[in-house]
Amino acid sequence: KKDPAAPPAEAAPVKAEDLAARVNMLIDTSCYTCFSYVAQGLFERHKLVFACQLCFQVQARSGDLQAEMFDFLIRGPKASGVDNALAEWLDDSAWLMCNALKEFEVFEKLPDDMVGSAKRFREWFELERPEEQPLPGDWKKVTEFERLLLIRSLRTDRMSEALSTFVKTVMGSKYITSQPFNLERSYRDVTPQTPVFFILSPGVDPVKDTEKLGKQYGIGFDQGNLGLVSLGQGQEPVAEKAIEVSFKNGGWAFLQNIHLTPRWTAGYLEKRCDDLDGAHAEFRMFLSAEASKLPINILQVCVKLTNEPPEGLGANVRKNWLPFTDDFFESSAKPGELKSITFALCLFHAVVIERKKFGPQGWNRVYPFNFGDLTSCAQVAMNYLEANPKVPWDDLRYIFGEIMYGGHVTDHYDRRLVSNYLAAYMHDELLEGFEIFPGFKTPTNSGNTKDILEHIDTAFPQESPTAFGMHPNAEIGFRLMQADTMFNNIRELQPRGGGGVGGLSLTEKAKVMLDDIVEKMPEPFEMLEILERVEERTPYINVFLQEIERMQELMQQMKRSLAELDLGLKGDLQISESMEQLMNDLAAGARPGVWEKYGYPSKRPLASWVLDLLQRQKQLSDWTGSEMVNPPKTTWLSGLFNPQSFLTSVLQTTARKNEWPLDKTVTQTEVTKKQAEEVQAMSKEGAFIHGLSMEGARWDDKAGTIEESRAKELYAKMPVILIKAAVFTGQEQKDTYVCPVYKTQDRGPTFVFNAGLRSKAAPSKWILGGVGLLMDVA
């Protein structure tokens, strides 16, 4: 028997390798637990951002992350003034980024090697999933992070997949495997003092999940211990009573849509969430709101959860069809026709919702289409089928496109898009079943709702831009936008103070950029001398004088604000709020907001914007160096602050010459086969312009018509265009696509004019494809 007075035996020493293994296991477990807890409250699009941020922080702490290379990854800088030696297959943006990458010693031979091994690089570049294949030549030996930089430069559209692979390699596959929504699992972290906060997504109802969970704990409406209040005008006292009764007697209180009562939420509710001590042991509080600005205290105290509906065209069509029952169709005198029309409406609704992902090429503006639009249209279809012996397609298309859905749409070109979708879907062939988009035929209307649901599940092809009537390149454009948004999010998560190991501080970065801009700034125009040389103020002369004045004003503002900031950085001047904002923008390589109101629409990063500005100034400077009687031989329309005024000057000049009424005069476009440098003299009929690019299609010089885009060519440069004036006749031109011209990729509010372009295909092909001309591509 052991003597209780005897000293305790010494524990066996733990081996160093066992201790290290256990510590690593603890670190891994606690890290993943933290990640899982945060990720349950994030949208899917943000989970990879969080996983990447965590991964990069882990690498930085371990000394495996080089600050300058990480900065390159999240900013994607581009070199300037380097001609593209691989223009046949590589876009300018990728070539300039590769030239910026050669600043790192390991990549100094990259551009030369790409030219020397062009065939191998092109084969890799044109792969559908290049991130899964080894890089060409000796580049396959680079580290995982250096590989990321190469993909960032050459195939930015594949960065989501490349980052997922990187996180999987460094941290483990569990960090990129999405956990499905599980309220029962998350409920384990909930206490009377810790409410649940649901971040709402369209088409998802957390109340049903909460009711289902409540049954397991004896909570429900029948038991009288579940209080459900939907917030809105006058509902605040009801919500307060529900909370206080549950707080005192035990039970669950669920407050929906707390974002609709911001004052009450920031007042009573925030204070109540801070003081939940003394609550009944069975008390639980559930809150829900859309993603909006809410009191930070409420967000901090809650367990945050998200539950998103499945994404994709097929999933949306299925979701749209589910609410329609056989009883609904059997109540109609024409059930077969109603089924066909309702199915087409379900597809149309899914298309207009999902098309948003293609950004401005999809829709010029974002519209709040909702499920009520779909159900209202189905009811209208039923009423019209009852009242007409034949299907009144024209009436239905008008009501759906101009009233029900068209009521949301404010942009003319978006209304045109809606009308063309309905024209493609709503016609007699729909009743028999036809291929409504490549690879998918509409179901026959003889079956019941389950048969049609089965048809959706089995026959719907893998999603592709062709289902929307768009070119496959639109998928690349969507992925590029996705990558840009992701890197913007990662950038915003970085500390704003120091630059990390070996990195420049924020003020040092700002100073470098400031000095670079100041050095490049040209001398101002001598306005008095220019005005003295003008003999007659013709419409063209007025346009260029106004442009010079605008350029002068922008340059003066830039010089003044940069000089102020320079003094502030030296300590000679107190840094104001506007100076601090300018400093942050310069350090981040973004266009400064303080220059926006003096500038022009642009999506370029700062370095590229400055070069673009200098090119614009040069066009004006070259003009002042000429006789200043006429416009240049060909005008770089993209380089004008107000391109509409130049087009108006063409109309004014021609109208005066021919004595036409100006209000009856319109612009006409004629695409030439010349490039800007090939134009020898200005046009006698109007004015030559250049600098436009086509998105969604390309111009075929030989055929003189619009054609399908080449693979991976997102923006096709246009040749010189002749702008002429003509008297408006009211007749539509045959075989012509009326193509909108915009200042930037944002489209919408940057509209300039319509260009009539010859087309062998029907104009609807290019309308559904989102084809437009852009003056400036970032």
Side-chain angles (χ1 to χ4, degrees), residues 353-499:
I353 295 290
E354 285 291 304
R355 193 177 165 102
K356 291 176 187 175
K357 74 179 186 181
F358 297 109
Q361 192 183 353
W363 292 104
N364 277 344
R365 301 172 191 272
V366 177
Y367 302 108
F369 299 121
N370 57 67
F371 192 70
D373 298 326
L374 173 60
T375 53
S376 299
C377 286
Q379 190 61 54
V380 166
M382 176 187 277
N383 296 342
Y384 267 71
L385 288 172
E386 300 290 324
N388 293 274
K390 289 185 177 181
V391 180
W393 293 115
D394 290 340
D395 293 352
L396 292 177
R397 283 193 294 262
Y398 182 84
I399 291 170
F400 300 161
E402 299 293 333
I403 300 172
M404 298 300 189
Y405 283 88
H408 295 293
V409 180
T410 55
D411 185 275
H412 168 72
Y413 297 96
D414 287 341
R415 291 179 83 89
R416 185 175 74 162
L417 176 66
V418 168
S419 297
N420 275 267
Y421 267 128
L422 289 168
Y425 292 174
M426 301 286 174
H427 47 75
D428 286 327
E429 287 182 46
L430 176 65
L431 306 179
E432 304 300 322
F434 77 110
E435 193 174 57
I436 200 162
F437 64 79
F440 183 69
K441 190 177 179 182
T442 57
T444 57
N445 57 29
S446 57
N448 58 27
T449 52
K450 285 186 178 177
D451 294 333
I452 293 176
L453 202 60
E454 189 179 333
H455 180 79
I456 295 169
D457 292 339
T458 56
F460 215 90
Q462 186 176 354
E463 188 170 328
S464 159
T466 54
F468 299 85
M470 304 177 83
H471 191 275
N473 283 353
E475 182 74 19
I476 299 174
F478 159 64
R479 287 178 171 276
L480 286 171
M481 284 191 294
Q482 203 177 37
D484 285 344
T485 303
M486 183 166 59
F487 284 121
N488 284 338
N489 290 334
I490 294 174
R491 214 161 42 232
E492 287 169 5
L493 291 171
Q494 303 314 306
R496 296 198 180 273

Side-chain angles (χ1 to χ4, degrees), residues 321 326 328-344 381 385-386 391 393 428 430-433 442-448 452:
W321 181 257
D326 287 321
F328 172 74
F329 296 115
E330 293 305 323
S331 64
S332 168
K334 298 185 180 73
E337 288 87 339
L338 184 59
K339 274 179 207 164
S340 294
I341 293 169
T342 304
F343 179 82
L385 288 172
E386 300 290 324
V391 180
W393 293 115
D428 286 327
L430 176 65
L431 306 179
E432 304 300 322
T442 57
T444 57
N445 57 29
S446 57
N448 58 27
I452 293 176

